[in-house]
Amino acid sequence: MTVPAPPPPDLEQPRPRGRFQRVTLRNRVTWLAAICVAGAVALVSVAAFVTVRDSLYQQLDDSLTERAVEAAEGPLVRTADLQQVPVAFFTATNFKISVLGADGSEFGPKGQRPPLSYAELAVARGEVPQSRRTDQRTNSRVVAVPTGQNAALVMSTSLDPTQRTLAQLSVVLVVMGGAGILLAAAAGTAVARAGLRPVQRLTAATERVALTGDLRPIPVDGDDELSRLTASFNGMLSALAESQERQRRLVADAGHELRTPLTSLRTNLELLMASARPDAPNLAEEDRQEMFADVQAQVTELSALVGDLVELAREDTPQAVHEPVDLVDVVERALSRARRRAPRIEFEVRLQPWVMMGDATALERAVLNLLDNAAKWSPDEGRVRVDLVPDPGSGQVLLEVADSGPGIAPVDRPYVFERFYRSSDARTLPGSGLGLSIVKQVAERHGGSVWAGEAPEGGALLRMALPGSTPQTEQQ
């Protein structure tokens, strides 16, 4: 029986979080401050302890050697009569002394003789000038200096006082170092708590936005990195709130505009369905054809309205613009489409070369909306003037579209580029009221602007200003 091989491990499966990953950032800052201070305190304490210890032992050796030399030159040592010195003197001065001969004989007060070794005997025989050593058995420091009589003076002192001083120093260093570490941990906690307070506000704000959708800005205090981060987050909240408001207005306006054609379409369909029943009165063929034509017109109007809504929603989305565009080609393509839609309108065109960075498709849609609007308001056999002329004063190009219609009333001019705005004269004409608003959004997305006024011909004049430059070949 063949046992199937186990499946390979899932490399995409998330690994379990470690213990350190569960530690909060504030605790990490606290531990980091404490560890850094502990390391610094440890290095300083060790360096101080070693320095003080070496200094104390050096002072002890220098003092002991100096006393031994003075004693070696004294009369008591020269006569080798150290027994005359009271024992209490050596006990009080914490010294032990004796004279060691080259033959190994020793003279000194009984009970107060220092420990001896071969190092002291080598000094007595003249093999070395002097010796220093630590005797581990008696825990004392032993010094031997020559006396000039084939002998050496040996002197020792206990290391207990020095070691007690070093022990006290160790306790002081440990206590002060521990206090410094605790103080650093407390300071790290306080700094982390104060420094992370803006981060906590950001966290609370994101949680509030996720739960409630509340896009109120966060209060900003100071001018540090976290304050700038909070300001950037407030900017993001403002952009999100503006986007939501635009979406809300678009949905509300779209619902309002869709309600009328849908109601009319439903009414006509219900009448047609009712007339098809066996017991219903006969509907005149002329009325039936009129209803069918009305339904067809309403379906066409709904299709145009939905298309404009989709285009408007797409233009609401911020998009990067990085494509070089020849504006003359854009206008010519829009003119070709406009001539097919309005064959009875004459377009008088004057175009000058202009290049810019932009979205060619969106720009063509905006230009086509301007041309369609002008053709709609112009009478049959009317004329529409299209000028693309650079403006030296502003460094932009002006696209002017002038029709031969009745023009726009001064009270309506500030609102013609708003969504779903239709003047009293335009409400009886087909259209969604979104064409010119798309023109405005495309212009603003490309860093331009729009304007409505009166043309010299007497009709409406719509102007779109766009940035860019004249081609280099033309400038040369």
Side-chain angles (χ1 to χ4, degrees):
M1 180 178 179
T2 304
V3 179
D10 188 3
L11 298 180
E12 299 298 330
Q13 184 177 4
R15 298 181 179 179
R17 295 169 59 89
R19 179 176 301 176
F20 181 75
Q21 293 178 334
R22 293 193 297 266
V23 179
T24 62
L25 181 58
R26 184 175 64 184
N27 291 337
R28 293 182 192 180
V29 174
T30 301
W31 281 107
L32 181 61
I35 291 173
C36 291
V37 172
V41 168
L43 290 177
V44 172
S45 299
V46 170
F49 181 81
V50 172
T51 302
V52 172
R53 184 195 63 183
D54 293 344
S55 177
L56 289 178
Y57 277 113
Q58 186 64 39
Q59 291 179 6
L60 180 63
D61 288 344
D62 294 343
S63 176
L64 190 60
T65 302
E66 182 179 357
R67 291 176 181 271
V69 171
E70 292 177 355
E73 296 175 354
L76 295 178
V77 175
R78 294 184 181 279
T79 58
D81 195 8
L82 294 176
Q83 286 83 355
Q84 297 181 6
V85 181
V87 176
F89 172 79
F90 296 103
T91 303
T93 56
N94 196 26
F95 288 111
K96 294 182 179 181
I97 189 171
S98 67
V99 177
L100 178 63
D103 56 355
S105 58
E106 184 182 9
F107 304 94
K110 295 181 179 181
Q112 293 298 322
R113 297 179 180 180
L116 300 178
S117 68
Y118 181 78
E120 289 77 23
L121 185 60
V123 176
R125 293 175 179 176
E127 297 176 358
V128 294
Q130 64 179 15
S131 67
R132 298 177 182 178
R133 68 180 182 87
T134 299
D135 187 75
Q136 301 294 339
R137 294 175 299 171
T138 59
N139 193 29
S140 59
R141 190 68 172 169
V142 182
V143 175
V145 295
T147 61
Q149 300 174 353
N150 292 327
L153 177 69
V154 182
M155 183 176 291
S156 69
T157 185
S158 177
L159 293 176
D160 291 339
T162 303
Q163 292 178 348
R164 283 196 297 269
T165 301
L166 293 176
Q168 293 176 357
L169 177 63
S170 300
V171 172
V172 171
L173 291 177
V174 170
V175 172
M176 295 302 295
I181 293 172
L182 294 178
L183 182 61
T189 302
V191 171
R193 183 177 301 171
L196 294 178
R197 190 172 293 114
V199 178
Q200 293 174 353
R201 288 201 298 265
L202 286 176
T203 303
T206 54
E207 293 175 351
R208 186 188 73 230
V209 170
L211 292 177
T212 65
D214 186 5
L215 301 179
R216 289 176 299 173
I218 306 171
V220 180
D221 298 327
D223 192 22
D224 54 3
E225 290 79 2
L226 290 176
S227 299
R228 290 195 291 272
L229 175 61
T230 305
S232 300
F233 189 79
N234 286 339
M236 183 186 68
L237 290 179
S238 300
L240 183 59
E242 183 180 357
S243 176
Q244 286 186 352
E245 179 62 20
R246 287 199 304 266
Q247 292 178 0
R248 186 192 64 79
R249 292 200 309 266
L250 178 61
V251 171
D253 294 340
H256 176 73
E257 292 295 324
L258 287 170
R259 186 178 297 112
T260 300
L262 285 176
T263 302
S264 178
L265 182 62
R266 183 178 61 183
T267 302
N268 289 330
L269 289 176
E270 289 177 352
L271 289 175
L272 290 173
M273 292 174 62
S275 64
R277 295 176 184 174
D279 56 345
N282 293 330
L283 187 63
E285 185 64 25
E286 182 180 355
D287 294 338
R288 184 185 300 274
Q289 293 300 328
E290 184 179 354
M291 286 185 181
F292 277 121
D294 195 11
V295 168
Q296 185 177 5
Q298 289 162 359
V299 170
T300 303
E301 183 180 355
L302 282 175
S303 299
L305 180 58
V306 170
D308 289 341
L309 286 174
V310 172
E311 185 69 21
L312 194 63
R314 189 180 71 86
E315 293 299 332
D316 271 346
T317 304
Q319 301 175 8
V321 179
H322 298 294
E323 179 185 3
V325 176
D326 187 344
L327 201 55
V328 173
D329 292 342
V330 170
V331 175
E332 289 179 346
R333 289 196 301 269
L335 279 169
S336 177
R337 297 172 61 182
R339 287 189 176 103
R340 290 195 301 268
R341 296 183 181 184
R344 297 184 179 182
I345 300 298
E346 179 184 355
F347 291 90
E348 180 182 342
V349 182
R350 184 181 60 172
L351 305 178
Q352 296 188 24
W354 191 263
V355 294
M356 59 179 296
M357 301 297 293
D359 184 352
T361 303
L363 289 170
E364 183 179 347
R365 177 61 184 269
V367 175
L368 182 59
N369 287 354
L370 290 176
L371 298 177
D372 287 343
N373 181 79
K376 181 177 69 173
W377 287 100
S378 298
D380 291 343
E381 308 301 332
R383 178 178 298 179
V384 174
R385 177 172 55 86
V386 181
D387 291 339
L388 182 65
V389 183
D391 182 15
S394 62
Q396 294 182 325
V397 68
L398 301 179
L399 176 63
E400 295 184 349
V401 179
D403 58 48
S404 53
I408 304 175
V411 295
D412 294 328
R413 291 173 188 173
Y415 309 104
V416 294
F417 292 101
E418 298 296 328
R419 293 176 180 175
F420 300 105
Y421 180 80
R422 304 180 72 180
S423 63
S424 57
D425 297 334
R427 290 171 186 172
T428 58
L429 297 177
S432 62
L434 294 175
L436 294 183
S437 65
I438 294 176
V439 175
K440 179 182 178 181
Q441 290 196 10
V442 171
E444 291 178 349
R445 184 159 66 89
H446 288 80
S449 59
V450 291
W451 176 84
E454 183 179 359
E457 298 85 349
L461 174 63
L462 300 180
R463 179 184 297 163
M464 179 169 62
L466 294 171
S469 62
T470 305
Q472 296 295 325
T473 55
E474 295 293 332
Q475 293 179 358
Q476 295 176 358

